[in-house]
Every structure is written in structure tokens, then in C-alpha cells.
Amino acid sequence: MKKGTLNANGLQIAYCIWHPEKEPTIFFIHGNSSSSNNWRKQVESDLFTDYRLITIDLPNHGNSATLNENADFSLPGIAKIMAAAALQLVNNAPYIICSVSLGTNIVAEMLNCDIKPVGLIMAGPCIVGEGFGMEKLLLPGADPSAVFAENVPHESVVKYAGETSISSDVNDITYFLKDYYSVQGNFRSALYATIAAGNYNDEVAILQRATCPVCIVFGEAEKVVNTSYLDDAPINVWNNKVYKIAGASHLVNIDAPMAFNELLAAFAKDIFTINVA
């Protein structure tokens, strides 16, 4: 595994690469208050040894640099940074982007930044658009405020952790809390302010315009997002199916890694078979 940083729109972004000698590439974009550690159960899988795997830390997360407090914390603003980072790492090879939670919003917004993935896999998606707003997205009683504010009571953070992941592996909650408390600056509240102000695009419409297939996957035991809210979305859904994996909540790749990895491997094989000469 190779670690490094690069300059993306003036900000140092941290990345890790597995199997750098391979060409077909899978990028992994984590969600709010997480880090590239979110993908530990994917990058270590034997199912992906034929692919170059790249994990990237969002601004203010993991080992990436911190945005100035007056910077653009909006989803389109973050997407510009992540797109610039991804484009530097592509090496003219075909690539898939795998994202989770808020990472799915960022990836959708990245499609406005001249990136050309051959496929997208979105886990626990929370993309928004006309007719697909928060009132349809969130489950009744869901409270994601822990990832949209600073100085949240610890018990609220632990409660949210238990809702996003139902993993029985005690190490998973440790990783979650470490990543959560490692977020720098006012990222959470600054991001929320831009969302409250409506500073984001119609992400469903962006995906509708995209030419690449999208694999959408939820956990059957999802406790935050309505797993049916995208059933009628006008998106080029892979296999004409929204996948729902048993034994998993919002962080489906953490809760059910074997099933998730098998789905990602099948998607990658299908997409790269079509797009690699």
C-alpha cells in the first residue's frame, strides 16, 4: 500500500493506493465525519486484487488538510476538490467510484466537474433532487444532527453510531468514534449551513444525465435513510435493481462486508469487461 498527498485546488488531500501496478481503478469516497478507514474491509479483500484501489480523505478528515473557515464548505465546493484529486490519480485508466452516505452526494456533484467514471456504486445513498428531498429521504425519527454540528454530547454521537452501523464487531465503533473526533475545524456546522441555504444541485438530475450505470445499495436494516426513496428515480440503475443487503444499516459496507464486496466485485467485473479493451 502506498500513501501520499496531492494538491487539489490548493488543498493537500491524502490518499492511499493498493495494487498500484494495476490499471482498472476503483476510487472510494467516504462520508461525513469518517475517513478512508471506512473502506478497510474492502481494500483488504482478495476480491479486488486485480484492481488499483484508491481511498481519499475528504477535507478536514483523516490525513487531509483543513479548509480555511471562510472557504466553500458546500457540496459543490467539496466536489470540486475531490474531482481535482481524482483526476490527478486516474492515469488515463477506466475507473469506478464507490461512495457511501454523504460521499454519494459529493460524487453526484463531482459529475459536474468533468470527471468520466465508467460506473458508480452508491452505498446508503442520500442524494437529493426535485421530488427527492429530505422529507422523502429520511426515515421518521431519524436524527443525523450529530454529523452536522460541533460539540455534540458524546451520548448523541454514540447513539448515531449505533444507528448508522449495527455491526457486532467492537472494533467498528472504535473506528467510528476515532474518525468522528478527528474531524478538524467547523466542517460539520459549515457544511450544514450551506445545505440549509440550498447550496447544492439537483443530484438526481445530474445522475439522470450521466451515461454510466449506477449500482445503488442499501442495508435492509437501514435506520437513517428510507431505502425505497430512490425506487422511482430516473437514474440508469445497474441491472434495473436497487440492492438491499440483509444484516446491515446505513454503513452497509461495514455491517455486511462479504455481501457488499461480492456485489462490488460483480459490478466491477461487468463494468470493466465492457470498458476495457
Side-chain angles (χ1 to χ4, degrees):
M1 184 262 287
K2 172 187 173 184
K3 292 184 178 182
T5 60
L6 54 80
N7 187 307
N9 289 8
L11 194 74
Q12 290 297 307
I13 295 296
Y15 65 87
C16 295
I17 302 178
W18 283 258
H19 321 305
E21 73 282 2
K22 305 298 182 181
E23 286 197 356
T25 299
I26 305 176
F27 282 96
F28 294 90
I29 307 291
H30 67 80
N32 188 356
S33 300
S34 183
S35 81
S36 55
N37 283 330
N38 175 82
W39 304 109
R40 60 192 177 275
K41 298 183 181 183
Q42 283 65 62
V43 297
E44 295 173 356
S45 171
D46 291 338
L47 293 176
F48 306 117
T49 54
D50 289 334
Y51 306 116
R52 188 164 60 121
L53 309 177
I54 303 177
T55 62
I56 309 179
D57 285 329
L58 294 179
N60 296 55
H61 294 69
N63 292 312
S64 287
T66 302
L67 287 165
N68 182 286
E69 63 179 13
N70 296 317
D72 184 358
F73 283 83
S74 70
L75 289 167
I78 297 168
K80 289 177 182 177
I81 295 171
M82 301 313 288
L87 288 172
Q88 292 184 52
L89 294 165
V90 168
N91 290 348
N92 296 316
Y95 62 98
I96 286 169
I97 304 180
C98 178
S99 56
V100 65
S101 192
L102 185 81
T104 65
N105 302 86
I106 293 169
V107 169
E109 301 276 356
M110 286 169 66
L111 296 175
N112 275 348
C113 302
D114 200 33
I115 66 167
K116 303 294 182 184
V118 294
L120 304 173
I121 180 163
M122 295 185 158
C126 43
I127 55 173
V128 292
E130 185 175 353
F132 299 90
M134 292 295 180
E135 70 287 348
K136 189 173 182 180
L137 185 159
L138 291 176
L139 288 172
D143 180 14
S145 60
V147 288
F148 289 118
E150 280 71 53
N151 303 315
V152 175
H154 182 70
E155 57 270 23
S156 297
V157 177
V158 173
K159 179 177 181 292
Y160 182 73
E163 293 171 348
T164 56
S165 172
I166 57 173
S167 170
S168 59
D169 184 344
V170 295
N171 292 319
D172 290 336
I173 184 66
T174 301
Y175 273 108
F176 182 97
L177 294 175
K178 179 181 178 182
D179 284 343
Y180 182 91
Y181 287 113
S182 295
V183 175
Q184 300 296 309
N186 62 332
F187 180 90
R188 286 185 277 260
S189 58
L191 171 65
Y192 178 74
T194 70
I195 293 173
N199 190 358
Y200 51 85
N201 293 300
D202 186 330
E203 296 160 357
V204 173
I206 293 173
L207 288 171
Q208 182 182 13
R209 295 192 298 269
T211 58
C212 63
V214 183
C215 178
I216 294 177
V217 54
F218 291 99
E220 281 187 354
E222 171 73 67
K223 299 180 183 299
V224 180
V225 174
N226 173 11
T227 61
S228 299
Y229 94 100
L230 291 175
D231 284 356
D232 299 322
I235 298 172
N236 179 20
V237 178
W238 184 59
N239 286 343
N240 296 311
K241 178 180 180 180
V242 173
Y243 289 84
K244 298 174 184 179
I245 294 178
S249 182
H250 191 56
L251 298 180
V252 57
N253 64 302
I254 292 295
D255 289 351
M258 184 175 296
F260 181 83
N261 291 350
E262 289 175 351
L263 178 61
L264 174 55
F267 180 69
K269 181 179 180 180
D270 184 35
I271 299 304
F272 287 132
T273 296
I274 296 171
N275 290 278
V276 177

